[in-house]
Amino acid sequence: MAEEVKLFGVWGSPFSRRVEIALKLKGVDYEYVEEDLSNKSPLLLKYNPVHKKVPAFVHNGKAIAESQVILEYIDETWKNSPILPKDPYGRAQARFWASFIDEKCLPALWKASWPCEDHEKVKDEAREHLKTLENELKDKKFFGGETVGLVDIVANFIAYWLPRIQKATGAELLTEEKYPKLYQWGHEFENHGVVKEKLPPSDKLIAFFKDRFESVSTSK
Amino acid sequence: MGEVKLIATTQSLFCARIQWALKFKGVEYEFIEEDLRNKSPLLLESNRVYKKVPVLLHNGKSFPESLIILEYIDEVWKHNPLLPQDPSERALARFWAKFSDEKVIFGAFGACRTEGEQQEKAKEAALESLAFLEKQLEGKKFFGGEELGYLDLVVGWIPLWLGVMEEIGGIKLLEEERFPLLHEWSQNFHQIPLIKECLPPRDNLLSYFQASISYHRSLAAKKP
């Protein structure tokens, strides 16, 4: 029986890239549909009517939205190369850090990356969250231990997008000096054999952020 | 299975859902009432990142964040499952739980604590999000189907807490004609003994939201 596995994403979205990483890690073939967010396809609106966002994931006619919900679905459906640990405590920990990254880290990092009111305060909050992650990583190669897991996948923005925003804007949030473990982790992650195939082109991403920086810096 | 303790407050809707889950599974636990204006060393140690309730303590480990605690409880005590077995049903339950916590709770509170034009706008958004939940009840007695499930516990704040917020805020969101399924579900939900057992006294909640909504409105009035 031909299995339908479809992902609606955007080349530069860390959220849809997360799903691609998980599928690739598990060796699952899928059809990828690149969305134009300024002109959303009827299919995207059909598969994610509530939020109308990417990623939207379809498996044998069933549609799922929200990247972390999709990741858990993928882990439960394709049981090889698990991205969550087996034990309930380990799973709770992984979910906690994944949730922390999405609820606290990413919003703070994104805000701190661009000119804004109270910029120093915003940057301080971002730095505090990076420190929390640095402490959580300890001496592990990945947040998942020896292998890439849910938390690493959810932290993809920190490993790959953030350094490129920094290159584009001159912002300095994640530095090797301040966060040596996190920095090293980022390096391992982006060079991981499977992960690196599912990251957006570096130059294209930097150019995108340069454009954004120019437009937010000049608009009043 | 090891001692279970719950650091919580009786008023918190996030804590209530954990009590419901533990009772649903027949798990004995010690309830540790927290004073949020004077947080205990135990809380600060058990939830260093957020310093919030609820926190579940089990086998020497601490578990914050209510949705994560619910999943942990379901995985440790496997009888009377809260989440469905089928992965796509589980995904739907998780999706709606997230939606409820992000849009419905804060949408409803936003509508209740604002005034005037702001309240009108917030009301529209809150009604829209409630409509999505209403749809999920089509053909079902509970969100979990014939029986209570994970999503019922997550959305279980609606019958009591929303009613109180509406009363203090002077606004009606959950109108029976508009949301007949949610209305009926609310009645059925509150009939269940283990649910009723863990509800805070309505007066306590009224005082709490009176203070909270007054505070928010006075802040808003100060803004230019």
Side-chain angles (χ1 to χ4, degrees):
Chain A
M1 184 187 90
E3 204 169 25
E4 177 200 23
V5 184
K6 218 165 167 174
L7 173 67
F8 294 79
V10 164
W11 70 272
S13 160
F15 304 99
S16 58
R17 290 285 182 174
R18 289 173 182 177
V19 180
E20 294 199 80
I21 292 171
L23 290 168
K24 187 78 189 171
L25 282 169
K26 292 182 181 265
V28 177
D29 283 327
Y30 62 98
E31 183 195 334
Y32 176 78
V33 177
E34 174 76 18
E35 276 292 322
D36 172 1
L37 295 180
S38 62
N39 185 18
K40 293 173 183 177
S41 74
L43 277 183
L44 176 64
L45 300 178
K46 172 184 168 184
Y47 291 130
N48 192 359
V50 177
H51 300 297
K52 307 177 176 50
K53 287 181 175 179
V54 294
F57 182 73
V58 187
H59 181 219
N60 293 336
K62 300 226 165 93
I64 303 166
E66 294 296 288
S67 66
Q68 286 200 36
V69 176
I70 298 170
L71 290 175
E72 292 235 26
Y73 175 83
I74 288 171
D75 208 39
E76 288 172 2
T77 304
W78 292 279
K79 299 195 199 295
N80 62 309
S81 305
I83 59 174
L84 274 163
K86 273 201 167 65
D87 69 297
Y89 173 66
R91 295 164 76 80
Q93 283 288 92
R95 288 171 178 142
F96 178 84
W97 291 110
S99 162
F100 173 75
I101 288 166
D102 269 357
E103 318 264 298
K104 296 286 175 193
C105 285
L106 296 204
L109 286 169
W110 182 254
K111 209 171 171 200
S113 297
W114 314 100
C116 66
E117 251 181 64
D118 286 331
H119 204 186
E120 271 316 304
K121 192 173 169 206
V122 165
K123 279 196 275 190
D124 280 341
E125 190 189 334
R127 288 183 189 124
E128 198 186 301
H129 295 326
L130 287 175
K131 190 84 205 153
T132 302
L133 284 182
E134 172 88 359
N135 292 339
E136 173 54 25
L137 190 53
K138 301 183 190 71
D139 292 316
K140 293 182 290 190
K141 184 177 180 185
F142 295 110
F143 286 98
E146 278 305 299
T147 55
V148 164
L150 177 77
V151 182
D152 304 280
I153 296 172
V154 168
N156 64 344
F157 175 89
I158 299 173
Y160 194 78
W161 276 254
L162 185 59
R164 280 150 188 83
I165 294 176
Q166 293 181 171
K167 268 209 176 82
T169 67
E172 263 189 12
L173 290 163
L174 176 62
T175 61
E176 186 173 11
E177 189 192 21
K178 283 208 185 89
Y179 313 101
K181 293 184 179 139
L182 205 54
Y183 191 85
Q184 172 65 17
W185 162 81
H187 186 75
E188 293 282 349
F189 183 80
E190 79 172 300
N191 289 299
H192 181 279
V194 168
V195 170
K196 71 182 178 194
E197 291 183 40
K198 294 299 171 186
L199 294 170
S202 188
D203 290 343
K204 193 175 175 187
L205 199 61
I206 295 174
F208 173 83
F209 287 131
K210 271 208 173 96
D211 280 346
R212 187 178 201 275
F213 187 61
E214 255 142 57
S215 72
V216 301
S217 300
T218 52
S219 63
K220 280 283 175 247
Chain B
M1 259 281 183
E3 236 185 356
V4 180
K5 295 184 187 184
L6 179 65
I7 310 173
T9 65
T10 34
Q11 287 161 337
S12 157
L13 64 92
F14 300 101
C15 297
R17 52 174 73 151
I18 306 304
Q19 291 207 76
W20 290 328
L22 290 168
K23 289 206 189 285
F24 186 72
K25 301 266 186 183
V27 175
E28 302 262 325
Y29 62 98
E30 181 191 338
F31 183 93
I32 302 174
E33 179 90 39
E34 184 67 35
D35 177 359
L36 294 177
R37 295 160 302 180
N38 185 17
K39 292 178 181 178
S40 69
L42 180 64
L43 176 63
L44 299 176
E45 183 56 39
S46 312
N47 189 358
R48 285 188 215 164
V49 176
Y50 296 112
K51 306 175 175 51
K52 285 180 174 180
V53 292
V55 182
L56 188 81
L57 304 175
H58 182 230
N59 285 343
K61 305 269 199 280
S62 55
F63 301 86
E65 294 297 282
S66 64
L67 296 185
I68 295 175
I69 301 171
L70 288 177
E71 297 234 22
Y72 175 77
I73 289 171
D74 212 31
E75 287 174 6
V76 172
W77 293 277
K78 295 193 203 294
H79 58 279
N80 292 4
L82 283 168
L83 275 160
Q85 298 303 307
D86 169 70
S88 63
E89 298 288 312
R90 293 162 77 83
L92 274 179
R94 287 174 178 139
F95 174 87
W96 289 112
K98 193 166 195 265
F99 176 80
S100 163
D101 274 7
E102 284 173 9
K103 302 278 180 204
V104 189
I105 292 183
F106 292 102
F109 189 57
C112 294
R113 69 173 161 87
T114 46
E115 289 175 294
E117 206 186 300
Q118 257 207 313
Q119 187 175 58
E120 279 312 305
K121 266 173 92 176
K123 183 178 179 179
E124 233 182 272
L127 290 174
E128 212 180 281
S129 68
L130 282 169
F132 277 118
L133 279 188
E134 173 85 0
K135 210 160 189 289
Q136 295 315 301
L137 277 171
E138 275 167 14
K140 296 197 280 193
K141 184 177 182 191
F142 293 106
F143 288 98
E146 272 307 296
E147 308 278 339
L148 271 194
Y150 166 86
L151 191 53
D152 297 276
L153 301 192
V154 173
V155 172
W157 60 278
I158 284 180
L160 177 62
W161 279 261
L162 179 59
V164 170
M165 282 187 219
E166 286 171 327
E167 187 176 323
I168 304 292
I171 186 176
K172 188 75 185 155
L173 294 169
L174 194 65
E175 275 163 11
E176 187 177 353
E177 307 84 63
R178 195 165 184 157
F179 304 110
L181 299 176
L182 272 173
H183 196 260
E184 195 182 340
W185 168 83
S186 296
Q187 319 270 14
N188 290 332
F189 186 72
H190 265 204
Q191 302 284 9
I192 299 169
L194 72 87
I195 300 295
K196 273 201 289 215
E197 264 170 54
C198 307
L199 294 174
R202 200 165 195 275
D203 287 341
N204 282 18
L205 279 190
L206 279 168
S207 312
Y208 173 82
F209 280 107
Q210 180 67 66
S212 175
I213 288 176
S214 303
Y215 174 71
H216 276 107
R217 285 183 173 172
S218 70
L219 273 186
K222 289 199 181 102
K223 286 187 180 149

